[in-house]
Amino acid sequence: MRELIVEADGGSRGNPGPAGYGAVVIDAATGRILARTAEYLGVTTNNVAEYRGLLAGLRAARALDASAAVHVRMDSKLVVEQMTGRWKIRHPDLKPLAAEAAALFPPGRVTYEWIPRERNRHADRLANEAMDAGQRGEQWVLPPGEGDGEPAGADAQDTAASPASPASPASPASPDAADERAVTAADERAVTAADERAAGAVAAASAAPAPASSSVPAPASASSATPAAGWAPADLGPPTAFVLLRHGETPLTPQKRFSGSGGSDPSLSEVGREQAERVAAALARRGTIQAVVTSPLARTRETAKIVADRLGLEVAVEDGLRETDFGAWEGLTFGEVRERHPDDLAAWLASPDAAPTGGGESFTATAARVAAARDRLLAAYPGRTVLLVTHVTPIKTLVRLALGAPPESLFRMELSAASLSVVAYYADGNASLRLLNDTSHLRLP
């Protein structure tokens, strides 16, 4: 089995402050650099930036060889200990990122090693380059003359001889020594046997394989990619675009009732079927959809069939795109839930880890499931434009993860029935939101 090495780093100048990450993928057999990636993240924390660097490195490794074994080396003790399950992940902003990382490769195929910062200079330099570029109002691009394929050791020598960035005298791409000592001590005190079991359960659940009911095709060959234009390097190929369609109205939609995957599974109303016809006509005019994938619930299947029939495409089913299970709240309005389950509702609004009354699904669990489905679909449809017919929470989650936004952003997005949103994903792990909640196709002529 081929072995790839991922070296990743991230940091912020302020914690929270202007942040960025860098990652490299190295061929373990030859020591040659196969891929580099970096990105300015805006304002966030050191730990979020470190996890984002890990994700970018793992995605780049997966794009190179999804069957490889991967050895991750980072100078973040926190990330290494949490990803191995030895430390519990307590911060809500880090849990979905860790779940995403765990889902990128099958269990047991990724190993982690902590290394001193001086051995992680390549990723550190890329992170600082990304932060410098962001503070200039630019996107990071691979500097001219730094093509992949050079020996990995060459960068360490260059970095050691180069001066620190003038934008940040210390150029910290990971927490300073005092901050790292404080984080390490706090987490070590928190480690118990129960914490280890909980951390292992989160990683195992997020890395679970696709359900047997999934009809998404197997990953396509990467050799079908064609060159792309734009900021991304030409060898990345075209992005994979997910056109996210919320299903049309059901009888519960205008009443604003909780309608997840654990309720009555309503079909479309007459209004909902008309909405589906309108979006089908709009997508047919654009002529860009190459595949249709739907949630298994009735309202999405019906919407997807109407659109796919108009486009002349088959419909694949992905179980990971189903709506959150709202437990005992299914079929109730927000006001009714507040009257009957006030404490549970307050906890749910305050934390993504809280589940609805009666064994429903938390937003943290939904995020792990949706992230795993996203990665399966990215592997199955590289470089293609795919219509995903799904629900409010999965769409908001995909948007949130693409933007690196916190879990509470789920409550700050509006998604209308039969609306369209678009997220593009690049081979180096970057993503961009291109459209959100477009309903122009529903307006009367």
Side-chain angles (χ1 to χ4, degrees):
M1 180 184 294
R2 184 184 189 187
E3 182 179 357
L4 301 176
I5 296 171
V6 170
E7 294 180 349
D9 200 7
S12 68
R13 295 168 178 171
N15 198 27
Y21 67 73
V24 293
V25 182
I26 302 166
D27 189 311
T30 65
R32 296 281 175 176
I33 296 172
L34 303 178
R36 296 173 173 88
T37 181
E39 183 183 7
Y40 176 66
L41 299 174
V43 176
T44 190
T45 65
N46 281 319
N47 295 150
V48 167
E50 289 167 343
Y51 265 104
R52 291 290 300 276
L54 169 63
L55 278 167
L58 289 174
R59 288 177 185 142
R62 178 170 174 159
L64 287 165
D65 189 345
S67 65
V70 180
H71 184 63
V72 176
R73 302 195 294 221
M74 298 183 69
D75 61 66
S76 170
K77 186 75 169 175
L78 180 77
V79 173
V80 169
E81 295 299 311
Q82 288 180 341
M83 289 305 300
T84 56
R86 291 188 289 265
W87 292 0
K88 184 176 181 179
I89 305 172
R90 295 183 174 276
H91 198 287
D93 289 350
L94 304 185
K95 291 180 179 179
L97 298 175
E100 283 188 78
L104 284 171
F105 284 87
R109 287 252 300 278
V110 181
T111 55
Y112 290 84
E113 176 189 2
W114 177 85
I115 58 174
R117 186 181 301 179
E118 58 266 22
R119 288 181 53 197
N120 202 27
R121 285 174 172 163
H122 196 152
D124 178 273
R125 176 174 66 83
L126 292 174
N128 278 290
E129 286 179 359
M131 286 185 272
D132 291 343
Q135 291 183 322
R136 294 192 303 267
E138 302 171 359
Q139 292 283 338
W140 177 86
V141 294
L142 186 66
E146 285 200 23
D148 297 327
E150 69 182 54
D155 183 81
Q157 297 171 0
D158 295 343
T159 306
S162 63
S165 164
S168 176
S171 291
S174 57
D176 58 38
D179 180 45
E180 190 162 276
R181 283 196 299 271
V183 170
T184 300
D187 276 278
E188 284 177 337
R189 287 193 298 269
V191 173
T192 62
D195 289 343
E196 292 182 32
R197 287 195 299 271
V202 169
S206 63
S213 61
S214 174
S215 61
V216 173
S221 169
S223 63
S224 62
T226 56
W231 285 342
D235 61 352
L236 288 180
T240 302
F242 286 170
V243 180
L244 308 173
L245 171 60
R246 184 189 171 195
H247 60 81
E249 282 190 11
T250 74
L252 299 182
T253 306
Q255 300 174 28
K256 297 188 180 300
R257 295 184 179 275
F258 283 94
S259 183
S261 58
S264 60
D265 195 14
S267 298
L268 297 180
S269 64
E270 189 64 35
V271 171
R273 285 188 286 274
E274 174 62 25
Q275 290 171 332
E277 294 286 356
R278 286 181 176 270
V279 73
L283 292 172
R285 287 193 297 270
R286 297 179 190 179
T288 56
I289 301 299
Q290 297 170 291
V292 179
V293 182
T294 183
S295 149
L297 300 185
R299 52 197 182 271
T300 47
R301 281 179 177 268
E302 191 174 350
T303 302
K305 185 178 186 308
I306 290 172
V307 175
D309 285 351
R310 181 68 176 264
L311 301 179
L313 297 171
E314 298 295 322
V315 177
V317 177
E318 168 55 64
D319 186 70
L321 295 178
R322 69 184 186 277
E323 182 57 285
T324 299
D325 183 346
F326 292 111
W329 301 353
E330 295 278 359
L332 302 180
T333 66
F334 187 88
E336 289 169 342
V337 172
R338 185 169 50 201
E339 291 175 3
R340 301 180 193 184
H341 310 285
D343 294 339
D344 289 348
L345 180 61
W348 182 74
L349 293 172
S351 171
D353 296 331
T357 309
E361 187 178 22
S362 71
F363 282 150
T364 297
T366 300
R369 166 168 59 80
V370 170
R374 175 203 60 196
D375 292 335
R376 288 194 293 271
L377 294 168
L378 287 173
Y381 300 100
R384 304 179 73 188
T385 299
V386 185
L387 180 70
L388 305 187
V389 187
T390 179
H391 310 264
V392 169
T393 310
I395 293 174
K396 288 184 177 182
T397 298
L398 289 167
V399 169
R400 178 182 78 76
L401 295 176
L403 296 176
E408 55 266 29
S409 63
L410 294 177
F411 297 111
R412 298 173 186 170
M413 287 183 258
E414 175 70 23
L415 278 179
S416 303
S419 63
L420 290 169
S421 303
V422 180
V423 178
Y425 299 89
Y426 298 87
D428 63 354
N430 290 315
S432 63
L433 177 64
R434 295 184 172 182
L435 186 70
L436 181 67
N437 196 39
D438 177 23
T439 57
S440 59
H441 49 277
L442 301 180
R443 298 170 194 157
L444 294 174

